[in-house]
Amino acid sequence: MRAADGAHAADAADAADAAAVRRVVAAAFGDERPLLVRLLDELDRTERVVASLVAEVDGAVVGHVQLSRSWVDARERLVEVVVLSPLSVHPDVQRTGVGSALLAAAVEVARAAAEPAVFLEGSPAYYGERGWQRASSLGFTRPSARIPDAAFQVVLLVDDLPRGALVYCDAFWALDCVGLRDPFLAEIEERFAD
């Protein structure tokens, strides 16, 4: 939605938004679009979706973000957390604040639902500017070595979350949507080498 002051806001997606969400994901991700649309379908089918939010401009869906159930495998116990994926903004409105609004709304939804943390894989430059931190620096372990350490990020919503390895839900693994594959993985690792 576009708020009265021109700022972007997000609302919960509903069944009527499904086709528009898939169009936005397809437009935002180019070559990866079939896989990410399948991921949305698989997460819905396995009932792992915690929240699905859309951003609209003039009544048209232009952005989408989803939170899905996953876990931290801590020594003491398995802890439920959420993973933010995918974040999609139609190319026509990228760099206008839609993505930032969706990220902020997703974190607020997670906070309101008493989720302890929100994890994601993504650009440390983009997400870092929006409050995300490198998860490994806080004691968490990546679910796959194919996720560059700099891209493994988190927003902690509680101080006492036990540390351990993030475990993605089954849909991410079934569709091979965890991390990157070479040669792109090697290029990204080289770019973010410490």
Side-chain angles (χ1 to χ4, degrees), residues 88-107:
S88 310
V89 177
H90 195 282
D92 292 346
V93 295
Q94 288 177 359
R95 295 174 184 77
T96 66
V98 171
S100 295
L102 285 166
L103 285 173
V107 170

Side-chain angles (χ1 to χ4, degrees), residues 32-77:
E32 295 180 51
R33 68 182 171 262
L35 181 61
L36 290 171
V37 169
R38 284 181 54 209
L39 177 63
L40 292 175
D41 293 339
E42 186 66 13
L43 289 167
D44 285 341
R45 188 187 68 71
T46 58
E47 300 181 359
R48 300 285 192 226
V49 177
V50 173
S52 181
L53 306 173
V54 294
E56 297 178 343
V57 172
D58 297 329
V61 173
V62 296
H64 172 259
V65 69
Q66 192 155 283
L67 298 173
S68 303
R69 175 68 54 222
S70 288
W71 304 268
V72 168
D73 186 14
R75 289 178 62 99
E76 304 87 5
R77 61 190 162 88

